[in-house]
Amino acid sequence: MALMLWYAISPWFGGTAATAGLLAAFVDYVGRLFTPVRELSGKISILQRAASAADKIAGLLLCDERVPFGDRPLPEAPGEVAFEGVSFAYGDGPDVLRDITLAIRPGEVVALVGRTGSGKTTIGKLLVRMYAGYRGTIRVDGVPLDEVDQAALRRRIAVVQQDVVLFGGTVRGDLTLGADISDARLREALDLAQASDVVERLGGLDGRVVQGGRNLSVGEAQLLSFARVLARDAPLVILDEATASVDSLTEARIQAATAALFAQRTVLVVAHRLSTITHADRIVLLDQGRILEQGTHQALLARGGAYAALFEAQFTHGDAVANGASAESGRAG
């Protein structure tokens, strides 16, 4: 561009100096010439990203995502679980569980703790058979998990997750999920979950729930998810970080609401907040996919091992955060 402008205005090349209007028109036309070239290069980049995304979508659609189930029914038992030498990896990655052997007795509350990536949530996912391909054996009430009928397993296990899924419709529909549960049973479950006031605010069991629970707070949605589990007869319950996103007051309500649940069912708790599982019958500490320690809260603290160090670190950090918040509040005041 600079060379062409120099040529146009320089008398050294024997030409007539260009006028200002001609120069303006020339610069404008050159700019218009390069604009589509730049846009074309941008579109090529977009097309390359789209082609890469299309390959990933095609691979996902061609993937056989079905998890095989058996056809054996489960006996009428209170919910016994056994992991026998279980190892598991996601795809071709490294093992996230390594030789897990764990027996959960009927009516026992077992808490899985450990740092992020230790394999806590994976154990729960394998138990509800979200994934197959593990090595070893998982048994539910004495029946190998890969031989269990799908409907029987779904009836036997109830799950409360950190991210609550609520559907648009009535409160009754979100609590029953199509199951035949009486209104009296639903109200009893709401009372146990301390969620009756939430439902009354919505207009009772026929009150409306916005898709995704957008007309509820995180804590209120979690209380409804607990009521949903309490209304069912599932003898085995998995609580996967169920109180990780709620405030301390709501967490206290949830702990009070699940006291009866813990007394009646087998419960597997996946927790980051160690304060929520101190009363568990047994605490299992995982580290890099292996069971490092297990025992009661007091026994593990007395041992002074990895669990005691994790517990101390978490509560020391919590105290520091609380003290910092108090200092900020004092300065603001």
Short mmCIF file of all heavy atoms in Angstrom, two decimals, residues 1-10 18 22-24 26-27:
data_model
loop_
_atom_site.label_atom_id
_atom_site.label_comp_id
_atom_site.label_asym_id
_atom_site.label_seq_id
_atom_site.Cartn_x
_atom_site.Cartn_y
_atom_site.Cartn_z
N MET A 1 0.83 -1.20 0.00
CA MET A 1 0.00 0.00 0.00
C MET A 1 0.87 1.26 0.00
O MET A 1 0.64 2.20 -0.77
CB MET A 1 -0.91 -0.01 1.22
CG MET A 1 -1.75 1.25 1.40
SD MET A 1 -3.12 1.38 0.25
CE MET A 1 -4.25 0.23 1.00
N ALA A 2 1.90 1.29 0.88
CA ALA A 2 2.78 2.46 0.96
C ALA A 2 3.52 2.67 -0.35
O ALA A 2 3.67 3.82 -0.83
CB ALA A 2 3.75 2.28 2.12
N LEU A 3 4.01 1.58 -1.00
CA LEU A 3 4.73 1.71 -2.26
C LEU A 3 3.82 2.25 -3.35
O LEU A 3 4.24 3.08 -4.17
CB LEU A 3 5.30 0.34 -2.66
CG LEU A 3 6.49 -0.16 -1.83
CD1 LEU A 3 6.86 -1.58 -2.25
CD2 LEU A 3 7.67 0.78 -1.98
N MET A 4 2.58 1.78 -3.39
CA MET A 4 1.66 2.26 -4.43
C MET A 4 1.33 3.73 -4.23
O MET A 4 1.22 4.50 -5.19
CB MET A 4 0.38 1.40 -4.42
CG MET A 4 0.60 -0.01 -5.00
SD MET A 4 -0.91 -0.95 -5.18
CE MET A 4 -1.27 -1.30 -3.48
N LEU A 5 1.15 4.15 -2.98
CA LEU A 5 0.89 5.57 -2.72
C LEU A 5 2.10 6.42 -3.09
O LEU A 5 1.97 7.51 -3.67
CB LEU A 5 0.54 5.77 -1.24
CG LEU A 5 -0.84 5.25 -0.79
CD1 LEU A 5 -0.98 5.40 0.71
CD2 LEU A 5 -1.95 6.00 -1.51
N TRP A 6 3.29 5.92 -2.78
CA TRP A 6 4.50 6.68 -3.13
C TRP A 6 4.62 6.82 -4.64
O TRP A 6 4.96 7.88 -5.17
CB TRP A 6 5.70 5.94 -2.55
CG TRP A 6 7.02 6.66 -2.81
CD1 TRP A 6 7.29 7.97 -2.63
CD2 TRP A 6 8.22 6.06 -3.31
NE1 TRP A 6 8.59 8.25 -2.97
CE2 TRP A 6 9.19 7.08 -3.39
CE3 TRP A 6 8.57 4.75 -3.67
CZ2 TRP A 6 10.49 6.85 -3.83
CZ3 TRP A 6 9.87 4.52 -4.09
CH2 TRP A 6 10.81 5.57 -4.18
N TYR A 7 4.32 5.74 -5.37
CA TYR A 7 4.36 5.79 -6.83
C TYR A 7 3.36 6.79 -7.38
O TYR A 7 3.63 7.53 -8.34
CB TYR A 7 4.09 4.39 -7.39
CG TYR A 7 4.01 4.35 -8.90
CD1 TYR A 7 5.17 4.33 -9.67
CD2 TYR A 7 2.78 4.33 -9.55
CE1 TYR A 7 5.11 4.29 -11.06
CE2 TYR A 7 2.71 4.30 -10.93
CZ TYR A 7 3.88 4.27 -11.67
OH TYR A 7 3.81 4.25 -13.04
N ALA A 8 2.19 6.85 -6.74
CA ALA A 8 1.12 7.72 -7.28
C ALA A 8 1.44 9.19 -7.11
O ALA A 8 1.07 10.02 -7.96
CB ALA A 8 -0.19 7.38 -6.57
N ILE A 9 2.13 9.55 -6.05
CA ILE A 9 2.34 10.98 -5.79
C ILE A 9 3.75 11.44 -6.15
O ILE A 9 4.05 12.62 -6.06
CB ILE A 9 2.08 11.30 -4.31
CG1 ILE A 9 3.09 10.58 -3.40
CG2 ILE A 9 0.64 10.95 -3.92
CD1 ILE A 9 2.94 10.93 -1.94
N SER A 10 4.64 10.50 -6.55
CA SER A 10 6.03 10.89 -6.83
C SER A 10 6.21 11.28 -8.28
O SER A 10 5.87 10.51 -9.19
CB SER A 10 6.96 9.73 -6.48
OG SER A 10 8.28 10.06 -6.82
N ALA A 18 -1.17 12.40 -8.32
CA ALA A 18 -2.58 12.06 -8.13
C ALA A 18 -3.26 13.12 -7.27
O ALA A 18 -2.64 13.72 -6.38
CB ALA A 18 -2.71 10.70 -7.46
N LEU A 22 -8.59 11.15 -5.85
CA LEU A 22 -8.18 9.87 -6.42
C LEU A 22 -7.51 8.99 -5.37
O LEU A 22 -7.75 7.79 -5.31
CB LEU A 22 -7.22 10.12 -7.59
CG LEU A 22 -6.69 8.86 -8.30
CD1 LEU A 22 -7.85 8.06 -8.88
CD2 LEU A 22 -5.69 9.25 -9.39
N LEU A 23 -6.66 9.63 -4.55
CA LEU A 23 -6.01 8.86 -3.49
C LEU A 23 -7.02 8.29 -2.50
O LEU A 23 -6.92 7.13 -2.07
CB LEU A 23 -5.00 9.74 -2.75
CG LEU A 23 -3.71 10.07 -3.51
CD1 LEU A 23 -2.88 11.04 -2.70
CD2 LEU A 23 -2.93 8.80 -3.80
N ALA A 24 -8.04 9.10 -2.16
CA ALA A 24 -9.06 8.62 -1.22
C ALA A 24 -9.84 7.47 -1.80
O ALA A 24 -10.11 6.47 -1.12
CB ALA A 24 -10.00 9.77 -0.85
N PHE A 26 -8.76 5.42 -4.11
CA PHE A 26 -7.86 4.27 -4.21
C PHE A 26 -7.75 3.53 -2.88
O PHE A 26 -7.85 2.31 -2.82
CB PHE A 26 -6.49 4.77 -4.68
CG PHE A 26 -5.44 3.69 -4.72
CD1 PHE A 26 -5.42 2.75 -5.73
CD2 PHE A 26 -4.48 3.60 -3.72
CE1 PHE A 26 -4.46 1.76 -5.76
CE2 PHE A 26 -3.53 2.60 -3.73
CZ PHE A 26 -3.51 1.68 -4.77
N VAL A 27 -7.54 4.28 -1.80
CA VAL A 27 -7.42 3.67 -0.48
C VAL A 27 -8.72 2.95 -0.11
O VAL A 27 -8.70 1.84 0.46
CB VAL A 27 -7.06 4.73 0.57
CG1 VAL A 27 -7.13 4.14 1.99
CG2 VAL A 27 -5.66 5.29 0.31
#
